[in-house]
């Protein structure tokens, strides 16, 4: 296992800055996931860690050793790509053994490592097959196995499940999480799929335009997003955002959101005039909540155990509600719903979170 330290890391292509002054500490043995919109620099960052891309400035250290000038082959890392990149003319066994043969390991050790990896990944029956005889999920297991067999200090994954269908992605997520718990090796995983990030990560790094917006556990990012970007990016279905006015009064701050009655929040650390109030779809209560409004249903998405209601307020503002799949709703229906002030997230004009008294500082 190995920890990783990035200090003031930058990457530029001419006048275009892809990564800007990035600082990050990856704890030894953690599963860190990099997420962000396309073009945010997450894959570029992974390739710089791997040594496949040079850095413009800053330092990258593995176990306190700066590796800026070390080639990829000397960094003791293993990388799994989006494409399986298996040798088509070789059997699974030979694909797994090829890297070890290049390392000049004894045949007995190679055979032992290959057999153990095949057992862990449950691909023992596939060892004598060629890649063309494998399904997508089986190919991905072999690609992962080819990395595991080298016993690296650090695993790097660059969207390894993006070529798989939805059902297989779920299965492979479970298998990767199980593999991580067995190996305990540090893993850095790049994905555009936040469900993958939320279900597998011990910590998540949210990137935008080459900069870190927030680092935290999945629960941290979901329950206490640092800014509007993170609030809107993390969570499926997406969070609802409302423009609001904030005024001081009584024991706290009064918030006025169009279509809803004015309500009071206690404990806001500072008061600003214009804010954005955000609520998760599951925070709304059909027919309940202390702050209520009426809306018309535009679309009903029945998802089995839950229902997503796309509704429209009198002002035209759209609101997404999540409720139990046992309830019955229809397009055009008018309903009353509400929320409790304790469930709101408040952001200032700069998009930064307005903290409540007693909250610990966001990392």
């Amino acid at each position: 296992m190995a920890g990783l330290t990035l200090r003031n890391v930058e990457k530029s292509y001419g006048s275009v800055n892809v990564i800007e002054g990035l600082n990050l500490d990856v704890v030894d043995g953690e599963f860190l996931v990099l997420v962000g919109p396309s073009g945010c620099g997450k894959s570029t960052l992974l390739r710089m860690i791997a040594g496949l891309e040079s850095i413009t400035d800053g330092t990258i250290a593995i176990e306190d050793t700066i590796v800026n000038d070390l080639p990829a082959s000397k960094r003791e890392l293993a990388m799994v790509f989006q494409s399986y990149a298996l040798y088509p003319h070789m059997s699974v066994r030979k694909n797994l053994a090829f890297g070890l043969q290049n390392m000049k390991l004894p045949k007995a050790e190679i055979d032992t490592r290959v057999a153990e990896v095949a057992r862990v990944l449950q691909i023992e029956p596939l060892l004598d097959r060629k890649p063309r005889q494998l399904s997508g999920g089986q190919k991905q297991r072999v690609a992962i196995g080819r990395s595991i067999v080298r016993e690296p200090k650090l695993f790097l994954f660059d969207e390894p499940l993006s070529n798989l269908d939805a059902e297989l992605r779920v299965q492979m997520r479970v298998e990767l999480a199980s593999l991580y718990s067995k190996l305990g090796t540090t893993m850095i995983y790049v994905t555009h799929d936040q469900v993958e990030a939320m279900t597998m990560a011990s910590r998540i790094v949210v990137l935008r335009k080459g900069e870190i917006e927030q680092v935290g556990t999945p629960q941290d990012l979901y329950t206490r997003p640092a800014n509007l970007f993170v609030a809107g990016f993390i969570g499926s279905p997406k969070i609802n955002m409302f423009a609001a006015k904030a005024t001081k009064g009584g024991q706290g701050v009064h918030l006025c959101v169009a279509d809803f009655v004015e309500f009071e929040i206690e404990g806001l650390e500072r008061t600003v005039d214009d804010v954005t109030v955000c609520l998760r779809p599951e925070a709304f209560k059909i027919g309940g909540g202390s702050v209520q409004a009426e809306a018309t249903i535009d679309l009903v998405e029945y998802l089995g155990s839950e229902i997503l209601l796309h509704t429209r307020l009198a002002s035209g503002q759209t609101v997404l509600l999540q409720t139990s799949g046992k309830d019955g709703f229809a397009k055009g229906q008018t309903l009353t719903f509400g929320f409790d002030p304790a469930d709101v997230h408040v952001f200032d004009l700069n998009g930064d979170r307005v903290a409540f008294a007693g909250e610990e500082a966001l990392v």
Side-chain angles (χ1 to χ4, degrees):
M1 294 189 291
L4 178 75
T5 304
L6 307 180
R7 288 291 176 266
N8 300 312
V9 172
E10 297 185 3
K11 178 63 180 179
S12 301
Y13 296 100
S15 61
V16 179
N17 296 325
V18 180
I19 302 291
E20 299 191 34
L22 189 142
N23 293 286
L24 180 65
D25 292 301
V26 182
V27 180
D28 185 12
E30 79 171 323
F31 197 130
L32 188 83
V33 178
L34 306 177
V35 298
S38 297
C40 71
K42 53 187 183 293
S43 289
T44 299
L45 180 59
L46 199 73
R47 291 176 62 83
M48 289 194 294
I49 294 169
L52 302 176
E53 194 85 52
S54 63
I55 68 173
T56 304
D57 199 4
T59 59
I60 298 176
I62 300 173
E63 288 187 329
D64 300 322
T65 301
I66 295 176
V67 298
N68 290 20
D69 299 321
L70 274 184
S73 60
K74 301 294 184 181
R75 297 194 182 190
E76 297 185 71
L77 311 177
M79 190 162 180
V80 179
F81 297 92
Q82 181 176 345
S83 60
Y84 312 122
L86 302 177
Y87 296 107
H89 62 288
M90 293 183 182
S91 67
V92 169
R93 189 189 308 276
K94 290 182 178 179
N95 264 284
L96 295 174
F98 185 73
L100 302 180
Q101 292 168 348
N102 288 340
M103 294 165 62
K104 310 295 185 184
L105 294 183
K107 184 178 184 305
E109 183 175 351
I110 293 174
D111 291 343
T112 299
R113 288 198 191 185
V114 168
E116 176 61 17
V117 166
R119 184 190 66 79
V120 170
L121 293 174
Q122 299 179 5
I123 55 173
E124 292 166 298
L126 311 177
L127 287 174
D128 295 319
R129 296 188 190 179
K130 297 288 181 64
R132 66 175 180 274
Q133 298 171 302
L134 306 178
S135 68
Q138 291 169 338
K139 289 178 183 176
Q140 194 57 270
R141 284 195 190 90
V142 176
I144 293 170
R146 194 169 54 183
S147 296
I148 296 173
V149 78
R150 293 172 52 196
E151 298 181 356
K153 293 181 178 178
L154 187 66
F155 284 106
L156 307 178
F157 295 91
D158 190 7
E159 302 197 41
L161 308 185
S162 59
N163 288 334
L164 305 179
D165 61 46
E167 183 177 353
L168 198 49
R169 284 174 76 113
V170 173
Q171 179 185 340
M172 286 301 298
R173 282 205 306 266
V174 173
E175 292 182 8
L176 274 174
S178 175
L179 181 64
Y180 167 66
S181 65
K182 289 177 183 176
L183 299 178
T185 307
T186 308
M187 296 185 177
I188 304 177
Y189 189 103
V190 164
T191 182
H192 66 276
D193 185 337
Q194 60 167 288
V195 175
E196 286 182 16
M198 297 291 282
T199 54
M200 293 194 297
S202 52
R203 283 196 305 158
I204 297 173
V205 178
V206 182
L207 291 169
R208 178 172 61 158
K209 297 180 180 178
E211 297 182 350
I212 294 176
E213 294 290 327
Q214 188 174 357
V215 182
T217 65
Q219 184 179 15
D220 287 338
L221 270 59
Y222 192 81
T223 59
R224 294 182 60 220
N227 53 47
L228 268 177
F229 175 78
V230 176
F233 188 81
I234 296 294
S236 180
K238 292 193 69 169
I239 202 167
N240 294 282
M241 298 185 181
F242 306 91
K245 289 282 186 181
T247 57
K248 187 71 176 176
Q251 298 298 313
V253 175
H254 287 259
L255 293 175
C256 183
V257 181
D259 299 292
F260 291 91
V261 297
E262 185 176 298
F263 60 98
E264 183 178 352
I265 289 186
E266 295 183 6
L268 280 184
E269 288 189 347
R270 55 196 172 97
T271 305
V272 289
D273 290 332
D274 294 304
V275 297
T276 300
V277 170
C278 294
L279 285 138
R280 297 287 180 192
E282 68 272 17
F284 291 107
K285 302 175 178 65
I286 308 297
S290 60
V291 183
Q292 295 190 345
E294 280 193 349
T296 303
I297 298 175
D298 287 339
L299 176 67
V300 178
E301 289 187 86
Y302 179 73
L303 303 177
S305 61
E306 63 186 31
I307 293 175
L308 298 183
L309 301 176
H310 298 256
T311 69
R312 189 174 303 275
L313 300 170
S315 63
Q317 166 93 40
T318 58
V319 184
L320 182 61
L321 316 179
Q322 181 176 319
T323 187
S324 168
K326 297 178 181 179
D327 300 323
F329 298 95
K331 179 180 178 180
Q333 178 183 343
T334 299
L335 54 79
T336 300
F337 67 96
F339 60 87
D340 295 323
D343 293 325
V344 305
H345 304 269
V346 183
F347 302 91
D348 63 20
L349 279 173
N350 295 320
D352 296 321
R353 181 181 183 84
V354 181
F356 287 82
E359 284 188 343
E360 296 179 2
L362 292 171
V363 179

